[in-house]
Amino acid sequence: MPKATSDKFSRAHQPSAKKKESQASGSMTNPIFNTARFGQHILKNPATAQKIVDAANLKPTDKVMEVGPGTGNLTVKILEKSKHVTAIEMDPRMAAEVIKRVQGTPQQRKLEVVIGDFVKVDMPYFDACISNTPYQISSPLVFRLLSHRPLFRVAILMFQREFALRLVARPGTALWSRLSANVQLYAKVDNIINVSRNDFRPPPQVESSVIRLVPIDPPPPVKFEEFDGMNRIIFSRPNKTVRGNFQAKGVMKLLEQNRSTWLSVQEMPVDDDRPIAKIVDDVLSELGHTESRAAKMDVDDLLKLLAAFHEVGIHFS
């Protein structure tokens, strides 16, 4: 039989009978499974499910991690093309349904179901990840994947369309953001399929999109906390000048504290008596970014800016 394991799952996750009845009567709730509780919408269109699996270009030797399998509509198609599938599912009743679908078939030994919260469970080794992502874990899922080692080959991920478009946004467009820059530092991201809300049961309030995420290999030798720390400042008001964002209340004091700490840890003397604001201004001026706006700066611009700050002892984490 397929293997099912549980990770930090307790009775607290299970809805009461009274709650289940009230949800079953709602028009936006799956009458069999409490999908709304876990932010899940079951993909019911087999043609769309097949497109998603085909987009991964799976090999017979691939190990696949699926996040949020629901009732297994994607799972059974993934099993047909891969060596092994680890499906991570929060709802034990859905997990049981996935297992039930492959019992007595040649696929049953290829499936392991982990019951638990994806944000907390240990990820297995995998070559590819496929996910009909519960909306509330969209961002944590992306960054857990990007921090996973060893690197996987590809991830095919379905998200709320607005979130997906932010992932693939380019500099100078309305949706270019800190999220876009942080993700594109570590991966190539493409929007590959638009999915109608009518392809789900129950239909969500919004449309969805499927993206392909391919990690950059080797990953850039940049500490994420540093890159994100700088981006938090300059994307705080993306259409304002970078210099203006650094002058926001509390920013210079934080940078001065960070610089003093870093110099102390490195056992380096404070041999630059310029005020921190002057140091920041000089870095921006040297790179020509005094009047630049984050909304139009690409990943290379951001990396060069981070490197220049590091050269003068300014760190962001």
Side-chain angles (χ1 to χ4, degrees):
M1 288 180 61
K3 182 180 177 184
T5 59
S6 177
D7 191 291
K8 297 182 180 178
F9 191 89
S10 68
R11 290 179 181 270
H13 291 85
Q14 300 184 25
S16 67
K18 189 175 292 184
K19 191 173 204 178
K20 184 165 63 175
E21 287 173 10
S22 65
Q23 288 176 329
S25 63
S27 60
M28 292 301 294
T29 304
N30 186 310
I32 302 175
F33 299 104
N34 186 9
T35 53
R37 180 170 172 78
F38 298 104
Q40 288 176 290
H41 299 270
I42 305 302
L43 181 64
K44 67 179 183 179
N45 187 328
T48 301
Q50 191 63 57
K51 287 180 183 178
I52 292 171
V53 175
D54 290 345
N57 292 318
L58 296 176
K59 304 173 184 178
T61 55
D62 278 344
K63 293 184 177 181
V64 180
M65 179 177 70
E66 184 186 8
V67 181
T71 55
N73 293 339
L74 280 171
T75 314
V76 293
K77 296 181 181 297
I78 299 170
L79 285 165
E80 293 172 358
K81 296 195 170 188
S82 61
K83 179 179 180 179
H84 184 269
V85 175
T86 300
I88 301 174
E89 174 55 57
M90 187 77 167
D91 189 332
R93 293 164 300 172
M94 288 194 186
E97 181 68 14
V98 175
I99 292 172
K100 181 180 177 181
R101 288 187 68 166
V102 299
Q103 282 181 345
T105 74
Q107 315 295 352
Q108 66 180 29
R109 294 185 179 180
K110 297 165 61 176
L111 175 66
E112 176 183 7
V113 177
V114 177
I115 303 172
D117 184 347
F118 171 76
V119 177
K120 299 176 181 178
V121 301
D122 293 331
M123 286 190 287
Y125 170 87
F126 60 97
D127 302 291
C129 175
I130 297 177
S131 174
N132 173 15
T133 312
Y135 291 159
Q136 73 270 24
I137 67 165
S138 296
S139 188
L141 179 139
V142 169
F143 288 106
R144 277 209 81 190
L145 291 178
L146 291 177
S147 64
H148 183 68
R149 298 293 182 272
L151 291 175
F152 53 93
R153 185 177 72 251
V154 65
I156 306 298
L157 311 171
M158 180 146 56
F159 297 115
Q160 180 177 331
R161 186 164 299 166
E162 181 182 355
F163 182 84
L165 293 178
R166 287 171 60 206
L167 291 178
V168 304
R170 303 302 303 159
T173 63
L175 292 177
W176 176 249
S177 64
R178 173 179 152 220
L179 173 68
S180 317
N182 285 350
V183 171
Q184 292 176 35
L185 172 66
Y186 292 103
K188 184 177 184 297
V189 194
D190 298 295
N191 184 22
I192 56 174
I193 306 170
N194 289 328
V195 183
S196 168
R197 61 190 299 273
N198 296 320
D199 284 357
F200 299 91
R201 184 185 72 249
Q205 300 284 350
V206 296
E207 303 294 326
S208 299
S209 289
V210 179
I211 62 110
R212 178 191 292 113
L213 184 149
V214 178
I216 293 171
D217 188 10
V222 179
K223 188 177 178 183
F224 174 76
E225 291 79 7
E226 284 288 311
F227 190 71
D228 182 54
M230 183 185 73
N231 285 343
R232 279 179 184 271
I233 296 171
I234 67 174
F235 278 99
S236 60
R237 296 174 296 175
N239 290 308
K240 300 292 185 181
T241 65
V242 171
R243 183 175 184 270
N245 285 333
F246 273 104
Q247 291 177 334
K249 183 178 180 180
V251 172
M252 291 300 177
K253 182 178 180 180
L254 175 65
L255 295 184
E256 187 169 29
Q257 291 173 344
N258 286 354
R259 185 168 186 267
S260 296
T261 301
W262 185 82
L263 291 172
S264 175
V265 170
Q266 301 298 319
E267 298 183 350
M268 296 174 63
V270 181
D271 55 3
D272 190 336
D273 59 1
R274 290 177 296 169
I276 191 70
K278 173 62 174 171
I279 297 175
V280 169
D281 277 352
D282 287 349
V283 168
L284 295 177
S285 178
E286 288 170 11
L287 293 180
H289 286 315
T290 302
E291 298 299 320
S292 296
R293 287 162 171 76
K296 295 185 178 180
M297 295 176 69
D298 62 22
V299 171
D300 286 342
D301 291 331
L302 297 170
L303 284 173
K304 290 175 183 176
L305 183 58
L306 180 64
F309 279 127
H310 283 177
E311 285 180 7
V312 297
I314 294 179
H315 290 256
F316 297 89
S317 66

